[in-house]
Amino acid sequence: MSAKIISGTETAKAIREELTVEVAELKDKHNIVPGLVTILVGEDPASQSYVSAKNKTAKALGIHSEQVTLAADTSNEDLLALVEKYNNDDKINGILVQLPLPKHIDEPKILNAINPDKDVDGFHPVNVGRMVVGEKCFLPCTPHGVLELLTRSGVETSGAEVVVVGRSNIVGKPMVNLMLQKRPAGNSTVTVCHTRTKDMAFHTKRADIIIAAAGVPKMITADMVKDGVVVIDVGVNRIGKTESGKAILAGDVDFDGVKEKAAAITPVPGGVGPMTITMLMKNTVQAAKQAAGLI
Ligand code: L34
């Protein structure tokens, strides 16, 4: 058996088409243009490419988009002042500070400084708390994208054994919380594995759905999964370069091996990555509507 490929590229395209219509309607009916600012500190090539993709996508959808790039040695104070400036800028509905930040930056302090109403990444503790208790909030973009992929490809999550591999604040922890919420795309029985898990394969072999977000290339191999599993691969690992200097990407899942056993699997690239960017757009539109009192 070879798995159905769940295409993030295709799903993201469908959601972006819906958003384009929504953004145009906001403009026509309410004269509202959602606004996003991305802030990048330093010159990490992967972060540069993600941030420029975010701005490009925003513009293509009709979202007002600003991109600020700061030197790697920017001080905490200067970064805080910039966040504060955008907190007070009415044109901007969403503020995104790309992670990881340089080591000398106090990351929690910066994330806490973003106005929760503009926190389109959903990383502010206020939004994290709202998410956990099931209130309206901004869902973090990558887990939000995984939920949309599962829903739109018709994967039954209710009662499913879901194993999340990884416990980061960006993916693993929110993913666990979302999968156990009492609502569609939730209602799962959730297990979380991490670097201290004694026998990872024991858990992954029981899984109906595996969500791999460990940041370790090809760590989930065919012998670790059962027949018919659904695999969502969140990993985007740079494992080398082609002769022309282009990055070679690999997920956290050994795609070629696992696809022979899985019922469905996301590829890397073209899986969760494009969904992350698209859900940021969805959150920015949500922020603009909330700011205008429309929802
Ligand atoms: N603040 N920091 C903040 N918010 C986020 O949501 C992110 N993330 C993660 C890293 N730091 C962040 C992203 O934007 C990861 N991430 C991200 C975004 C997009 C893609 C991958 C990770 C993506 O588009 N991946 C493509 C391949 C792109 C390439 O060639 O490098 C894919 O098809 O998977």
Side-chain angles (χ1 to χ4, degrees):
M1 185 177 70
S2 199
K4 171 186 151 190
I5 308 298
I6 300 176
S7 169
T9 308
E10 289 302 314
T11 311
K13 195 167 154 238
I15 298 171
R16 289 205 290 261
E17 278 164 14
E18 295 164 16
L19 286 173
T20 305
V21 174
E22 202 176 347
V23 171
E25 269 181 17
L26 279 175
K27 174 88 182 130
D28 290 350
K29 290 196 189 142
H30 304 282
N31 204 24
I32 291 169
V33 178
L36 170 71
V37 62
T38 61
I39 302 172
L40 171 63
V41 186
E43 291 172 358
D44 175 63
S47 298
Q48 280 174 335
S49 95
Y50 301 154
V51 163
S52 71
K54 289 172 184 184
N55 285 280
K56 206 173 125 202
T57 308
K59 290 199 176 105
L61 298 186
I63 293 173
H64 167 75
S65 161
E66 297 182 24
Q67 186 171 354
V68 183
T69 308
L70 300 173
D73 63 356
T74 298
S75 68
N76 278 285
E77 292 67 36
D78 286 354
L79 186 51
L80 277 174
L82 189 69
V83 167
E84 204 44 48
K85 181 185 130 184
Y86 285 111
N87 278 342
N88 296 313
D89 182 340
D90 289 342
K91 289 193 305 301
I92 296 298
N93 304 108
I95 303 172
L96 176 138
V97 179
Q98 188 71 17
L99 303 180
L101 286 164
K103 289 217 164 34
H104 69 279
I105 298 282
D106 185 345
E107 185 177 299
K109 197 168 177 185
I110 302 298
L111 297 181
N112 276 286
I114 298 172
N115 177 347
D117 295 335
K118 297 191 178 191
D119 171 38
V120 283
D121 255 330
F123 293 163
H124 191 290
V126 165
N127 281 311
V128 178
R130 287 177 181 154
M131 175 193 68
V132 173
V133 294
E135 283 180 24
K136 190 169 86 173
C137 62
F138 295 110
L139 296 182
C141 301
T142 301
H144 196 181
V146 172
L147 292 188
E148 287 284 340
L149 273 182
L150 289 169
T151 312
R152 290 182 187 236
S153 40
V155 177
E156 180 59 80
T157 60
S158 179
E161 294 286 339
V162 171
V163 173
V164 176
V165 183
R167 56 173 158 180
S168 68
N169 286 341
I170 308 193
V171 188
K173 279 186 206 162
M175 203 71 247
V176 165
N177 270 293
L178 289 168
M179 295 314 296
L180 57 78
Q181 295 289 330
K182 210 173 203 171
R183 63 177 173 223
N187 285 315
S188 306
T189 302
V190 187
T191 303
V192 57
C193 295
H194 47 75
T195 42
R196 301 293 172 94
T197 297
K198 283 186 184 144
D199 184 355
M200 179 100 58
F202 168 81
H203 299 285
T204 53
K205 272 185 205 161
R206 296 172 34 247
D208 300 315
I209 302 171
I210 296 174
I211 302 172
V216 181
K218 302 186 189 184
M219 71 171 290
I220 308 289
T221 48
D223 57 315
M224 294 170 70
V225 309
K226 72 175 182 189
D227 282 323
V229 66
V230 173
V231 180
I232 306 292
D233 190 351
V234 180
V236 184
N237 306 292
R238 286 167 156 67
I239 57 167
K241 280 189 178 166
T242 62
E243 275 173 30
S244 60
K246 210 169 160 281
I248 301 171
L249 303 180
D252 290 354
V253 177
D254 176 22
F255 182 85
D256 292 333
V258 171
K259 81 172 194 311
E260 298 305 322
K261 284 175 93 176
I265 186 167
T266 61
V268 178
V272 176
M275 292 298 292
T276 296
I277 293 177
T278 298
M279 300 327 285
L280 174 67
M281 304 304 132
K282 202 172 166 87
N283 285 355
T284 303
V285 172
Q286 180 189 330
K289 285 161 77 179
Q290 282 173 197
L294 295 173
I295 50 173

